[in-house]
Amino acid sequence: MKYKVVVVDDHLLIAKAIAAMVQEMKDFEVLYEAENGSVLLQKFKTRENIPDIVLLDISMPIMNGFETAQWLHDHYPGVKILVLSMQDDEASLIRMIKLGAKGYLHKNVHPAELEKALINLIERGMYFPQWATAVFFQTIAGPPPKESSKDEKLSNRELEFLHHVCSELTYKEIADLMCCSPRTVEGYRDALFEKLNIKTRVGLAMYAVKIGIVKVE
């Protein structure tokens, strides 16, 4: 089974080139291209047009990438967004992550990394290259709190889990490293979600950086 991809970009030649690259990948196929978010909305009215992944540009007329990401986040949260844009500034990256993007690449990306990103989105749920990770964590990383509140007291096993969350390991792989079952790891995750009022793995990784569990060079 091939995973379905849609390319959303207002530059026809670029959209065609990206689609051609994806079509060469053994695990993926392109359903169609859309020149902006408005066209994508219309396409989504047909169930067969709903993909697994949307490759999304930011600068587009009528309905840009930010607006499209917001709509997808609100109406189709199961569709993974991989931003593919010329904009690599901090503000665009952070805004897209907040809107639910699971990956962010520059348009000059090598085809091999694009394929790696698509595979990671399917298998691990996200993909951010080193430059994006550095920008993101440097933005949110602040000095560790002097003292955690009572609600934020974490066990040693929860702290160990937080450290692994910042890697590209799957939850099953984390369970193997921690010598426990995947269900136990999910229990650590859910407990941290509740204690820290965090809802995503990215949020847990952000917290891990903030309190100094993971250092950003």
Side-chain angles (χ1 to χ4, degrees):
M1 181 193 76
K2 290 193 173 185
Y3 295 99
K4 296 176 174 59
V5 178
V6 165
V7 180
V8 185
D9 194 308
D10 63 315
H11 293 94
L12 180 61
L13 291 178
I14 292 177
K16 293 291 183 185
I18 294 169
M21 282 193 292
V22 175
Q23 282 294 125
E24 293 295 318
M25 301 174 187
K26 66 176 183 178
D27 295 320
F28 302 93
E29 63 178 347
V30 176
L31 283 179
Y32 54 88
E33 299 113 43
E35 56 263 40
N36 56 57
S38 179
V39 174
L40 184 70
L41 265 63
Q42 295 302 314
K43 290 282 190 180
F44 267 49
K45 291 181 179 179
T46 302
R47 181 179 296 274
E48 290 75 16
N49 284 338
I50 300 175
D52 300 294
I53 298 172
V54 169
L55 291 181
L56 183 63
D57 190 18
I58 293 179
S59 298
M60 298 181 292
I62 303 176
M63 186 173 181
N64 64 32
F66 297 122
E67 295 165 333
T68 305
Q70 181 69 69
W71 184 83
L72 288 169
H73 177 71
D74 292 342
H75 298 279
Y76 292 91
V79 175
K80 295 178 174 61
I81 301 170
L82 174 59
V83 178
L84 199 56
S85 174
M86 292 300 292
Q87 296 178 215
D88 57 2
D89 59 285
E90 175 184 309
S92 296
L93 172 65
I94 299 302
R95 186 176 177 186
M96 271 299 187
I97 291 174
K98 289 181 177 180
L99 290 172
K102 302 302 181 185
Y104 199 111
L105 294 174
H106 196 272
K107 276 188 179 177
N108 66 2
V109 65
H110 191 280
E113 185 171 12
L114 175 59
E115 184 172 16
K116 178 182 178 182
L118 291 171
I119 291 171
N120 271 266
L121 254 67
I122 295 298
E123 295 183 352
R124 303 176 187 274
M126 69 180 70
Y127 180 81
F128 292 95
Q130 186 175 2
W131 69 264
T133 303
V135 168
F136 180 58
F137 283 155
Q138 286 169 2
T139 300
I140 57 87
K146 293 181 180 179
E147 184 177 353
S148 297
S149 66
K150 182 178 180 181
D151 290 338
E152 292 181 356
K153 293 293 184 183
L154 307 181
S155 69
N156 289 334
R157 293 290 275 177
E158 288 171 341
L159 290 171
E160 182 182 355
F161 170 72
L162 266 180
H163 179 81
H164 293 311
V165 158
C166 296
S167 70
E168 291 188 354
L169 296 172
T170 64
Y171 286 131
K172 184 180 184 303
E173 290 168 338
I174 292 174
D176 291 341
L177 280 178
M178 295 182 69
C179 299
C180 62
S181 70
R183 187 176 296 273
T184 299
V185 160
E186 290 173 1
Y188 293 141
R189 177 199 64 195
D190 294 343
L192 288 169
F193 282 168
E194 183 174 352
K195 285 183 179 181
L196 305 174
N197 192 28
I198 290 173
K199 297 180 180 180
T200 66
R201 179 169 177 166
V202 171
L204 290 177
M206 291 168 56
Y207 180 80
V209 171
K210 184 176 181 181
I211 66 174
I213 291 176
V214 175
K215 301 295 184 182
V216 179
E217 300 297 334

